[in-house]
Amino acid sequence: MKDFRECTVYEIYPKSFLDTNGDGLGELRGVTRKLDYLKELGVDYLWLTPFFVSPQNDNGYDVADYRRIDPRYGTMEDFEELSREAARRGIGLMLDMVFNHTSTDHEWFRKALAGDPKYKAYYIFKKGKPDGTPPTNWESKFGGSAWEYLPQFDEYYLHLFDKTQADLNWDNPEVRQEVADVVRFWMDKGVRGFRFDVINLISKGAFEDDDRGDGRRFYTDGPRIHEYLQELNQRTFGRDPGIITVGEMSSTTMENCFRYAGADGRELSMVFSFHHLKVDFMGNEKWVLVPTDFAKLKEILFSWQSGMAAHDAWNAVFWCNHDQPRVVSRFGDEGTYWKQSAKMLADVIHCLRGTPYIYQGEEIGMTNAGFTDLSQYRDVESLNHFQILRDKGMSEESAYNILKVHSRDNSRTPMQWTDGENAGFTAGTPWISVNPNCRHINAESQVGDPDSIFSHYRALIRLRKEYAVISRGDFAPLDQADPAVLAYRRRWKGDTLYCINNFYPKPCRWTCPEPLDGCTLLLANYPDARPGQTLELRPYESLVLLRREES
Ligand code: TEU
């Protein structure tokens, strides 16, 4: 059985990974075809974003049937083949379960719409206010009201996301049983892990107007959330200690995460939190352009590291996923220091305490989409918010510039396999444009090159398995006030590891507050790096140092 502290998870967005049948959409067979590449990288689990039957209004996060595979992604035989072939290479599959909501195309919702009381009770229907407005002023995460009116009932249903993603009523025990049955179904198919989409939003509290925000404080980490997670755990994955689970925790608090991801294993193995990725937002507002607040980034990363460690709880650590812009474009450099900055950012994450997640293409330094026309965008969130910004009177150019930075489509362009036609992703017309920089950023040119970003990620994945100080060590920030350097120390038994990173393109001098005598270089992003008490750090320079005590 694998120890998840030593493991690395690789996220695949199947639609954009590899298309083997020329329809322009990637599918499960494409993943199977690339298993040797993933084995070479060394990852332990593949998190596959949803490939279940779905109208694809939110690229599969709008599930219409939890037990069937959308024909666009393949068949159950394709899934079984992928599972078998992955297992043969020591790789486990982790499925993405979306249980906060279903598609309005789901049979349950259709029956609810037909007036069946059993299924109406699966969702959250409410009367509007006497003045004819929705039940509360809550906003959908994708823009507009979180309530959709149905004239046939003179009622509204709740949708925290798109209006075709209706929120399930977890207070209904029948819903919780259905969900557990779905999890068991996939466990029986040999799945080794689960990622639970926005799982901390499932327990709704009071349905009241929010005079301070968009409503999230009424349903985030809601009143019965721990009870529901413990119940699901006991009914399903908790019975198989080999299964790893990660909960996507939207706007959560650390205190709740101590429980979600506690070492007692009563709820989940680990959590994704996102506070460190809101450092280029204005509060919770993403659709603005503000510079990255580096001090805040460190403060958040470090406090989550220390806080979770102090409570024996486990983080998932990451920069990238299918909802985030590409990290090299966001916090690094797409130009001169592309390679150095991509490697530095990798070191920052992969030496932390937690299980690292790599998002497809991150390991070769893929950049933001670089779209040049609005028509290239596909994401419902981006398109809705573009319209909202325009409706507020923002010029098309300004709204477009915000999309360029923050759109989720930045991470959804096809995986760049080769420098050839469509980056080797498809022989057809890709569903979303390929980034033309595939000419120089592609997997083919990096695998086997010892100096590539790919090889650097490969080394990091190995180091985590080799050194318990990385997988188990404690955590302490170093010189947190420095305006350019992000540095920390890990310790385990006689080993001490230092991870020192210049986060900026400007060279800087940095003196380690702790003696570095006896340290040797474990990894660096410049070939001629040399450890020393005072370091002259070059642009985006990163050093990982290790001291071992003779035993
Ligand atoms: O994401 C939840 C989520 O909160 C983000 O999409 C968020 O709304 C966005 O980044 C804010 O700008 C999960 C999935 O990862 C995402 O792809 C789905 O769209 C969403 O849930 C709904 O299922």
Side-chain angles (χ1 to χ4, degrees), residues 351-406:
C351 293
L352 288 175
R353 178 183 177 277
T355 298
Y357 283 66
I358 301 171
Y359 175 66
Q360 68 183 46
E362 178 186 343
E363 77 283 11
I364 56 167
M366 275 178 64
T367 65
N368 277 352
F371 289 163
T372 48
D373 195 88
L374 189 64
S375 65
Q376 292 174 290
Y377 286 88
R378 297 285 175 271
D379 176 28
V380 53
E381 184 198 47
S382 303
L383 298 172
N384 286 355
H385 279 282
F386 179 81
Q387 199 48 52
I388 290 168
L389 294 172
R390 294 286 288 134
D391 292 347
K392 282 186 192 154
M394 189 180 279
S395 72
E396 191 168 310
E397 198 193 344
S398 303
Y400 186 59
N401 285 335
I402 294 180
L403 241 55
K404 274 188 142 173
V405 170
H406 288 300

Side-chain angles (χ1 to χ4, degrees), residues 13-54:
Y13 202 65
K15 197 177 253 185
S16 300
F17 195 63
L18 180 68
D19 172 25
T20 59
N21 61 8
D23 66 358
L25 303 168
E27 67 282 303
L28 294 177
R29 283 188 172 197
V31 181
T32 310
R33 179 103 40 107
K34 290 295 180 184
L35 283 171
D36 286 331
Y37 169 83
L38 298 162
K39 173 80 185 156
E40 170 78 10
L41 182 59
V43 295
D44 301 279
Y45 291 93
L46 302 181
W47 153 22
L48 302 165
T49 62
F51 47 75
F52 313 108
V53 170
S54 156

Side-chain angles (χ1 to χ4, degrees), residues 58 61 98 101 141-142 161 165 195 197-198 248 250 286-287 322-324 381 408 412:
D58 187 19
Y61 283 90
V98 188
H101 42 266
K141 311 252 180 203
F142 292 165
F161 294 89
Q165 293 166 299
R195 178 244 187 205
D197 190 61
V198 290
E248 188 201 24
S250 172
K286 156 168 162 175
W287 304 98
H322 64 285
D323 295 331
Q324 300 294 329
E381 184 198 47
R408 304 194 300 181
R412 298 177 181 183

